[in-house]
Amino acid sequence: MPPRTHLTRSTALPTTLLVATALLTAGLTGCSALSPFNTCEDTAERVKQLRSQPILKSVPKGAIAPKDPTLVESGCIDDSGDAWLYADRIYAFPGSRQQVVDHYLGAAEADGWRLRPDPVEPDIADTVGGLCFTKGGDGHALLLTVQFTTAGQLKVEHEYDAGPEFDSGSGFEIEVGSETDGATTDCFD
């Protein structure tokens, strides 16, 4: 007699229950073969495009990049759901924060960026809250931020001991960011 290759009634029910339980558990725990989130996979070309944005090279006269090369960063972060691409630079500036704001208001506008004021706290000065701009449409959307930083924040956020370049004036970080697929995003989402 040939061996049986089909399920019998005595093994069909336990097998069905086992498969159903496994599928239910996978669904409830969020494990599935299809992730609802974008990941960092195959984003190197888009990160390269972010690094080449001309606005990253536009700095107020007198601004200097710290000597630590790790403060010139770009990459992809996917630790909170959808992945985020970025290219950023940190600079020390011997002048005032207002000079930094004025520089980027002009430079960003000339490069096609649109300023997006904070709708929740519109009274916060740009010299405190920083600046945020958007550029491009769906599939090509970019976000530009200019934020002020201190030697203490550099230590905490980048594990960097700022040298004499941060002793006076203003430190600032400029970042161009994007969703992995270039989807439209806003400054205050």
Side-chain angles (χ1 to χ4, degrees), residues 31-35:
C31 298
S32 83
L34 300 174
S35 172

PDB file of all heavy atoms in Angstrom, residues 31-35:
ATOM      1  N   CYS A  31       4.256  41.553  12.868  1.00  0.00           N
ATOM      2  CA  CYS A  31       5.195  40.864  12.004  1.00  0.00           C
ATOM      3  C   CYS A  31       4.477  40.444  10.735  1.00  0.00           C
ATOM      4  O   CYS A  31       3.445  39.805  10.786  1.00  0.00           O
ATOM      5  CB  CYS A  31       5.747  39.605  12.674  1.00  0.00           C
ATOM      6  SG  CYS A  31       6.656  39.975  14.178  1.00  0.00           S
ATOM      7  N   SER A  32       5.010  40.850   9.639  1.00  0.00           N
ATOM      8  CA  SER A  32       4.436  40.396   8.383  1.00  0.00           C
ATOM      9  C   SER A  32       5.493  40.510   7.310  1.00  0.00           C
ATOM     10  O   SER A  32       6.495  41.184   7.470  1.00  0.00           O
ATOM     11  CB  SER A  32       3.206  41.213   8.004  1.00  0.00           C
ATOM     12  OG  SER A  32       3.565  42.409   7.369  1.00  0.00           O
ATOM     13  N   ALA A  33       5.259  39.876   6.238  1.00  0.00           N
ATOM     14  CA  ALA A  33       6.208  39.901   5.137  1.00  0.00           C
ATOM     15  C   ALA A  33       6.201  41.256   4.443  1.00  0.00           C
ATOM     16  O   ALA A  33       7.182  41.652   3.839  1.00  0.00           O
ATOM     17  CB  ALA A  33       5.872  38.788   4.144  1.00  0.00           C
ATOM     18  N   LEU A  34       5.096  41.974   4.522  1.00  0.00           N
ATOM     19  CA  LEU A  34       4.989  43.267   3.861  1.00  0.00           C
ATOM     20  C   LEU A  34       4.934  44.380   4.901  1.00  0.00           C
ATOM     21  O   LEU A  34       3.976  44.504   5.640  1.00  0.00           O
ATOM     22  CB  LEU A  34       3.721  43.317   2.993  1.00  0.00           C
ATOM     23  CG  LEU A  34       3.647  42.279   1.889  1.00  0.00           C
ATOM     24  CD1 LEU A  34       2.288  42.354   1.203  1.00  0.00           C
ATOM     25  CD2 LEU A  34       4.753  42.484   0.883  1.00  0.00           C
ATOM     26  N   SER A  35       5.984  45.180   4.980  1.00  0.00           N
ATOM     27  CA  SER A  35       6.022  46.280   5.929  1.00  0.00           C
ATOM     28  C   SER A  35       5.240  47.457   5.364  1.00  0.00           C
ATOM     29  O   SER A  35       5.366  47.786   4.194  1.00  0.00           O
ATOM     30  CB  SER A  35       7.463  46.702   6.177  1.00  0.00           C
ATOM     31  OG  SER A  35       7.489  47.871   6.951  1.00  0.00           O
TER      32      SER A  35
END
